Structure formats: C-alpha cells, structure tokens
Amino acid sequence: MSLILNQGTKPENLRVMTPATSFSKLIFIGDYEITMKDFVELMNYVLTNTDLRSDDPRIKFINNVKKAKIVPGWNKGGSRINIPHKR
C-alpha cells in the first residue's frame, strides 16, 4: 500500500510506501529509502524542533497518536497500530 502526498509537497504527488512484508525496516519516500529508526528520528525532530502555532497540524497528530491501539495485523499472527481519525 502507498500514500500520495498532495497538500503542497514538492514534487507534487510524492509517493510514500512501506513494503508489503511486515518484517521490513524500510520506508520509501519518492526515490529515497530510509530506515524505520531514521523515520522515528525524523518524526521526533519535526515534532519538537519548533514552537507550536495555534493551528499547528502537529497538535492534531499528537492527539490522534494518543488514541492509538495495537490491533490484529493484516497477516496471520501479526499485529499493527490502528489510529482512528477523521480526515
């Protein structure tokens, strides 16, 4: 499965993808490949490096993450994180 980023991203319609295997430790962003550990570091940096604004999307993101639950995965015996959110 992949996600297309289209809310002001350059280049437009940038594809983000995690491989189909549940054991993969890679994330693909356009032509770039980063590890899951680096992705987590990236998220920590983005969340904490600048002051918040009143309309900052990070606030909604943090509130959504607080609702996260570990649920049965797509593959037999696996598990995944589910975050109920409204778009």
Side-chain angles (χ1 to χ4, degrees):
M1 180 183 238
S2 63
L3 170 71
I4 302 296
L5 301 176
N6 59 5
Q7 297 182 45
T9 300
K10 292 181 183 179
E12 292 182 7
N13 299 320
L14 185 64
R15 182 179 301 265
V16 178
M17 199 169 72
T18 54
T21 66
S22 60
F23 303 109
S24 178
K25 297 178 181 176
L26 295 176
I27 297 169
F28 298 93
I29 302 173
D31 292 333
Y32 296 94
E33 179 179 307
I34 65 173
T35 65
M36 188 66 74
K37 286 183 178 183
D38 277 341
F39 175 77
V40 171
E41 288 299 318
L42 171 67
M43 291 304 301
N44 283 324
Y45 174 79
V46 169
L47 291 172
T48 63
N49 195 51
T50 58
D51 290 346
L52 295 169
R53 300 181 317 267
S54 61
D55 63 342
D56 200 305
R58 293 175 295 173
I59 297 168
K60 182 177 179 181
F61 175 75
I62 289 297
N63 287 329
N64 284 339
V65 170
K66 288 178 185 178
K67 299 173 190 172
K69 304 279 186 223
I70 296 177
V71 299
W74 305 117
N75 300 303
K76 186 176 181 176
S79 58
R80 63 185 178 89
I81 298 171
N82 182 51
I83 301 175
H85 62 282
K86 296 179 183 175
R87 293 193 183 244

